[in-house]
Amino acid sequence: MTALSPSLPKSNLARSIGLILLILVASILLLAPLLTYPLYLIKILCFVLFAAAFNLVLGYAGLLSFGHAAFFGGGAYIAAHAAKVWNLPFELAILAGTAFATIVGFIFGAIAIRRHGIYFAMITLALAQMIYFLAVQMPFTGGEDGIQSVPRGYLLGIVDLENITAMYYTVLGGTALGLVIIWRTVNSPFGHTLSAIRENETRVTSLGLKPERYKLIAFTLSAALSGFAGSMKAIAFQLASLVDVTWHMSGEVILMTLLGGMGTLIGPIVGATVVVGLEHFLATSGLPITFIIGLFFIVCVMMFRRGVFGELKHFLQRRQA
């Protein structure tokens, strides 16, 4: 009892600190539209969910995908088309984009999941490029112009989403829902099995489990949440364009995840916020944005090999030990 008693105050203290931080973050997010432009915050939220969804396959399942832009941008196109041409309400347009990304993710995963390493990455890249070429060629996508002037509609038929503040809180709720799903997934037996597959797939197979099945489910769920993020972004910005479906977008979400720290729930949130923030503030500086972000990434990789939050978490764990 003597040896165990000192750990109790530490546990209670950690919970108290976590609760205080959660309340603080929630307060900041609720008051944020009063402090800065809501559309900028919406962009951060959409990429936070996109990076967290991607981290589900990279950080927890150990799958490096170069094709996640197909789900993010594909969901954006379908949601925008559903809202503008089919005149579907906001909720159904978002569900249409998410359903499309889910189906495409399952097909991509079924094709690529039996490959490992660079082979898996190259297959996902090739499949994603097919979606990009379809977006360029198909009439309903608008080609290089994209789908513009997408109506935002009403939330539950009541809240006018043309009000940018209402749109912000709607996206905030959607992002929070997506993050809760990811948190619940990685802290379930399914998530622990994913981590075991990442560490030693052969041992998991020897236990009678089928790693391909678990990886396919994780990949499909990641695709669905990526499509959900892309759908919200398309409706909020009233635009679906080729930018969201190019391989550059797949590279950008990898950058966000590695920068914040893969295999952590907070890391992708930090990475997405930093990258979107840099792009926003450098846009009017006249400096080469890609070069500055690349330089920043190199410095962070050299100084924080586990990512910014990953290194902080590792430091705190060592001190606790």
Side-chain angles (χ1 to χ4, degrees), residues 53-71:
F54 177 77
N55 183 53
L56 185 61
V57 294
L58 177 62
Y60 292 96
L63 300 172
L64 176 59
S65 168
F66 279 115
H68 261 57
F71 316 130

Side-chain angles (χ1 to χ4, degrees), residues 50 66-77 100 125 127-136 141 143 233 240-250:
F50 185 27
F66 279 115
H68 261 57
F71 316 130
F72 184 75
Y77 270 112
F100 172 81
L125 175 60
L127 293 171
Q129 286 301 99
M130 292 173 57
I131 299 296
Y132 170 76
F133 288 125
L134 287 175
V136 172
T141 62
K233 179 177 179 291
S241 67
L242 291 174
V243 174
D244 293 334
V245 80
T246 60
W247 68 270
H248 297 280
M249 184 60 68
S250 296

Side-chain angles (χ1 to χ4, degrees), residues 163-235:
N163 184 323
I164 191 62
T165 304
M167 188 74 238
Y168 165 77
Y169 287 117
T170 301
V171 174
L172 176 61
T175 302
L177 175 62
L179 292 177
V180 168
I181 291 173
I182 294 172
W183 173 82
R184 186 68 189 90
T185 300
V186 301
N187 287 284
S188 67
F190 174 80
H192 298 320
T193 304
L194 278 182
S195 298
I197 291 171
R198 179 195 62 199
E199 297 299 329
N200 195 327
E201 185 172 338
T202 304
R203 181 173 294 178
V204 172
T205 304
S206 68
L207 295 175
L209 300 176
K210 296 182 178 179
E212 289 82 8
R213 182 177 300 176
Y214 285 88
K215 290 191 289 186
L216 179 58
I217 294 173
F219 191 85
T220 305
L221 177 60
S222 176
L225 292 172
S226 299
F228 182 49
S231 300
M232 291 195 298
K233 179 177 179 291
I235 301 295

Side-chain angles (χ1 to χ4, degrees), residues 223-281:
L225 292 172
S226 299
F228 182 49
S231 300
M232 291 195 298
K233 179 177 179 291
I235 301 295
F237 282 82
Q238 300 181 290
L239 172 68
S241 67
L242 291 174
V243 174
D244 293 334
V245 80
T246 60
W247 68 270
H248 297 280
M249 184 60 68
S250 296
E252 192 165 326
V253 75
I254 294 174
L255 171 65
M256 293 174 183
T257 305
L258 294 179
L259 186 61
M262 67 176 187
T264 64
L265 290 171
I266 306 298
I269 299 176
V270 174
T273 303
V274 169
V275 172
V276 175
L278 282 174
E279 290 177 347
H280 177 76
F281 291 109

Side-chain angles (χ1 to χ4, degrees), residues 20-88:
I20 292 172
L21 288 176
L22 182 61
I23 295 173
L24 180 62
V25 170
S27 302
I28 293 173
L29 290 173
L30 291 174
L31 297 175
L34 303 176
L35 306 175
T36 186
Y37 190 46
L39 205 58
Y40 164 64
L41 298 173
I42 289 173
K43 185 177 181 181
I44 291 178
L45 290 173
C46 291
F47 278 102
V48 160
L49 181 55
F50 185 27
F54 177 77
N55 183 53
L56 185 61
V57 294
L58 177 62
Y60 292 96
L63 300 172
L64 176 59
S65 168
F66 279 115
H68 261 57
F71 316 130
F72 184 75
Y77 270 112
I78 297 301
H81 184 77
K84 184 176 182 179
V85 180
W86 297 341
N87 295 317
L88 292 183

Side-chain angles (χ1 to χ4, degrees), residues 104-177:
V104 174
F106 178 81
I107 295 172
F108 281 18
I111 295 172
I113 212 72
R114 295 183 183 277
R115 301 294 179 264
H116 299 84
I118 191 64
Y119 302 104
F120 175 86
M122 291 298 101
I123 290 174
T124 56
L125 175 60
L127 293 171
Q129 286 301 99
M130 292 173 57
I131 299 296
Y132 170 76
F133 288 125
L134 287 175
V136 172
Q137 299 295 331
M138 295 187 72
F140 85 92
T141 62
E144 294 185 358
D145 296 327
I147 303 176
Q148 304 180 22
S149 302
V150 178
R152 290 177 181 156
Y154 291 81
L155 177 63
L156 302 176
I158 302 172
V159 181
D160 186 5
L161 296 179
E162 293 297 334
N163 184 323
I164 191 62
T165 304
M167 188 74 238
Y168 165 77
Y169 287 117
T170 301
V171 174
L172 176 61
T175 302
L177 175 62

